Amino acid sequence: MSVELAAWAGLDALLARFRPETPYGRAAKARGAVLASREALERRWDLTDEALALLADLDDDRVRRDRIRHHLGRLPRLPGEARGAFDEVELFQLKKFLFNHAALLALLPERLKGRFGLEPLPATLLELLGRGRQGDETFHVADAYDPGLAEVRRALRENDAAALRLREAREEALRARFGFAFEGRAFLLVPRERLGEPADSAGLLDVEPWDALRLCVRPRPGAEALRLADERAALLARERQLEARVLEALSVPLREALPLLAAQAEAIESLDLALAGAVLARENGLTRPVLGDGPVRVEAGRHLPTEELCAALGTPYAPLDATFEPGPTVLFGSNMGGKTVVLKTLAFLQLAAQSGLFVPARRFTTRLFETIHYVGEGRAPEEERGLSGFGFEIRRFAEAHADFGGETLALFDEFARTTSSREAEALLSAILEELAASPRAVVLFSTHFRGVKRLPGVRYLRMGGLDRARLDLDAAAGEDLAARIRRIDTLMRYSLEPDLPGERRSDAIAVARLLGLAPALARRAEELLDDGE
């Protein structure tokens, strides 16, 4: 999915509410793949329907629903590759996966498990990682794995106890001799006069100058302490050898089971995405798209960012009802008339659908598009920064043009607006003439250029525009800008209507008047417009 296209369409407003629980689902969301396979899309939507049915069943069992969510959220990412031996952290991840996978399966109905391909994993694997006194989601190389390991650790405990007794005795002797209270500390900083003559501390303390007034003193270990330290180092080396042997032995069956675990991770990803999609659909009134081969039909389609903006501003929002036939469509309308929102709504719905999500519409019947293009206002990539606005549009049009022979959705917002109107109208007319012979592409041009030629095979629509029956140009006098904008939104009809040949209606001057243009200027502009006709 093009980041630029998704950002322009405002898809982030929907994706921000789409919250998979597992690392697998979150990674799939981050990839942002647009599905170009009918089979893959239908399966994703089928699974979302299954998840919706599960959520409906769980409406009266919130504890079970929350436990399902809990165990999904606890599933970790599996180790990436089958190496000779897993380390302790990787075995912990594997055990955590096995435990939460088993707990999740115990909560799901059999039919649902079958639909997602969720199957029990060998119970022996979880038992293998649970020897000794271990929690359900913890792992360490316990003594129970090797009798020799238990013996080495017993010897280490005895060594530590002997070393502690020896250290305490040495510290007590130093306290009695010098008054130094080490209390387990490795060193002390003491005034120089506290130590006395250097000969008094020989063999008992290691002494180093610290500054002009203090000395750093450490207890000097005796022969027995050094022997215990050497013994401990040897025991630790032996412990590491035995732990490595245990890890290697544990890794064999787990390494062999990795393909099974990976397959279950894929099934978990599908379940996670379906449940997240089902929650999204329930909370936002989304419906399942319908795939066909003909026109794209939108019934009460909602562009969520615009809907939310209208709610924040206190202005009415009009859902989109429209049909877009294969081939080119031209959409006329003045600025602030809603042309861009129509394009954004179509892009929003299509991108959501091909991302495998349900959509905010009463019904959305569409096609599977192999490519989706948008040409309009936006930030140019670094390599295209030297181009003018018109040059940037032409470059993007050339990219889209190469795909017009296939299943393509292309949206052009005020195409060629930065060149002269006559040149723009000629260019648009030539493009429309060619596109009329490309029945597999659905292409929509929004424009305010009225001189575009009327051609067979091209559909011409217009925005409903200002409701002239309720229009009072003097009513906005004295209002601030926010109030004027709300007034325009209230008066504007955002429906799509056929644009018949010979019709010339523009709301631009009326909109300018409502925004504060002086009445005399507005009247003169109307006169000049009439003269030009």
Side-chain angles (χ1 to χ4, degrees):
M1 181 191 306
S2 162
V3 174
E4 180 191 354
L5 173 60
W8 173 79
L11 190 65
D12 287 349
L14 188 64
L15 293 179
R17 308 176 194 188
F18 177 58
R19 302 184 184 96
E21 300 283 350
T22 70
Y24 309 102
R26 290 192 294 271
K29 173 185 172 179
R31 288 193 295 272
V34 173
L35 302 178
S37 160
R38 181 180 293 262
E39 181 181 358
L41 268 180
E42 295 285 8
R43 173 170 169 75
R44 178 74 66 83
W45 295 336
D46 285 346
L47 294 179
T48 302
D49 277 332
E50 295 282 356
L52 280 166
L54 173 65
L55 292 179
D57 291 342
L58 295 175
D59 280 340
D60 297 325
D61 192 350
R62 297 185 65 178
V63 172
R64 186 173 165 216
R65 183 197 65 192
D66 290 345
R67 288 177 64 198
I68 289 172
R69 181 179 177 184
H70 169 79
H71 288 297
L72 278 171
R74 297 291 296 170
L75 281 160
R77 193 175 290 280
L78 291 171
E81 57 184 23
R83 295 184 289 105
F86 295 116
D87 61 31
E88 205 162 345
V89 172
E90 290 170 324
L91 290 177
F92 158 70
Q93 291 176 306
L94 287 163
K95 182 179 179 182
K96 191 174 179 181
F97 183 93
L98 290 164
F99 171 76
N100 285 286
H101 177 273
L104 183 63
L105 263 61
L107 295 166
L108 297 174
E110 290 298 324
R111 180 180 179 281
L112 193 72
K113 288 186 283 188
R115 289 288 287 122
F116 284 93
L118 290 163
E119 299 177 350
L121 291 164
T124 52
L125 296 177
L126 196 52
E127 294 168 2
L128 186 65
L129 296 175
R131 292 183 187 173
R133 296 182 178 179
Q134 306 201 44
D136 292 329
E137 295 186 65
T138 62
F139 175 78
H140 65 276
V141 181
D143 293 353
Y145 284 109
D146 190 305
L149 188 58
E151 178 60 27
V152 166
R153 287 174 175 169
R154 182 194 60 77
L156 275 168
R157 290 192 294 273
E158 291 177 355
N159 178 281
D160 289 341
L164 177 61
R165 290 193 298 270
L166 199 62
R167 189 190 74 206
E168 289 174 343
R170 174 56 63 95
E171 288 182 357
E172 183 58 33
L174 292 171
R175 182 196 298 270
R177 178 79 175 270
F178 300 102
F180 297 156
F182 282 92
E183 297 177 344
R185 290 187 285 268
F187 66 90
L188 292 175
L189 299 178
V190 301
R192 288 176 176 266
E193 61 269 16
R194 285 278 305 277
L195 194 59
E197 294 297 326
D200 293 342
S201 61
L204 299 174
L205 292 169
D206 289 324
V207 182
E208 298 176 7
W210 184 263
D211 56 29
L213 300 177
R214 293 176 296 174
L215 297 171
C216 175
V217 296
R218 294 182 176 84
R220 174 171 288 184
E224 179 61 10
L226 293 173
R227 185 194 69 78
L228 287 172
D230 289 342
E231 180 184 84
R232 190 174 195 279
L235 288 169
L236 287 173
R238 178 60 178 160
E239 181 187 37
R240 287 193 294 271
Q241 290 176 345
L242 293 172
E243 286 178 342
R245 189 169 72 183
V246 170
L247 292 174
E248 187 173 348
L250 291 175
S251 297
V252 173
L254 288 162
R255 191 167 56 245
E256 292 172 352
L258 264 187
L260 284 176
L261 271 65
Q264 287 304 291
E266 290 184 10
I268 290 290
E269 178 184 314
S270 295
L271 173 66
D272 190 23
L273 293 174
L275 280 170
V279 170
L280 183 72
R282 289 186 107 197
E283 293 180 349
N284 296 276
L286 311 185
T287 59
R288 175 174 176 157
V290 178
L291 282 181
D293 296 310
V296 176
R297 290 193 172 88
V298 182
E299 297 179 26
R302 293 146 47 217
H303 183 248
L304 294 184
T306 302
E307 184 180 43
E308 291 171 355
L309 179 60
C310 287
L313 295 174
T315 57
Y317 174 76
L320 176 65
D321 290 297
T323 297
F324 302 102
E325 298 284 349
T329 298
V330 179
L331 176 58
F332 295 111
S334 59
N335 290 333
M336 297 185 70
K339 301 189 303 298
T340 297
V341 175
V342 169
L343 270 63
K344 285 188 174 184
T345 302
L346 180 55
F348 185 93
L349 296 174
Q350 190 66 39
L351 289 174
Q354 288 198 227
S355 296
L357 301 175
F358 285 13
V359 297
R362 184 169 59 242
R363 184 177 177 84
F364 180 54
T365 303
T366 189
R367 300 163 63 175
L368 188 65
F369 292 107
E370 296 171 359
T371 54
I372 302 175
H373 293 279
Y374 157 70
V375 179
E377 219 173 329
R379 185 177 178 182
E382 192 67 38
E383 64 272 14
E384 297 179 351
R385 293 288 171 84
L387 294 174
S388 65
F390 179 70
F392 175 64
E393 286 185 300
I394 293 301
R395 284 287 301 169
R396 288 300 176 88
F397 171 79
E399 294 171 5
H401 182 262
D403 293 324
F404 282 167
E407 295 291 342
T408 296
L409 173 64
L411 306 170
F412 295 85
D413 193 17
E414 299 286 4
F415 182 66
R417 65 191 179 282
T418 56
T419 190
S420 72
S421 60
R422 290 190 62 193
E423 288 177 316
E425 288 163 353
L427 182 58
L428 273 169
S429 298
I431 293 170
L432 291 169
E433 188 176 60
E434 180 185 87
L435 280 171
S438 300
R440 295 175 65 191
V442 175
V443 187
L444 185 58
F445 291 88
S446 75
T447 185
H448 58 271
F449 293 133
R450 299 294 308 188
V452 176
K453 289 191 177 300
R454 301 284 171 154
L455 300 166
V458 180
R459 284 154 299 285
Y460 299 87
L461 302 174
R462 72 175 182 209
M463 301 303 301
L466 289 172
D467 185 349
R468 298 282 171 162
R470 297 189 297 122
L471 181 60
D472 181 353
L473 293 175
D474 297 319
E479 292 181 339
D480 62 15
L481 180 59
R484 290 172 182 269
I485 292 173
R486 284 196 297 272
R487 180 177 294 279
I488 292 171
D489 287 339
T490 302
L491 290 169
M492 196 69 72
R493 295 179 299 118
Y494 294 106
S495 57
L496 291 180
E497 303 172 357
D499 188 82
L500 303 176
E503 289 186 328
R504 294 183 64 85
R505 191 182 77 182
S506 173
D507 295 322
I509 297 174
V511 168
R513 173 77 184 279
L514 290 170
L515 287 174
L517 183 69
L521 283 176
R523 284 193 296 273
R524 181 55 181 154
E526 291 280 7
E527 293 169 359
L528 293 171
L529 180 65
D530 292 339
D531 289 345
E533 293 178 355

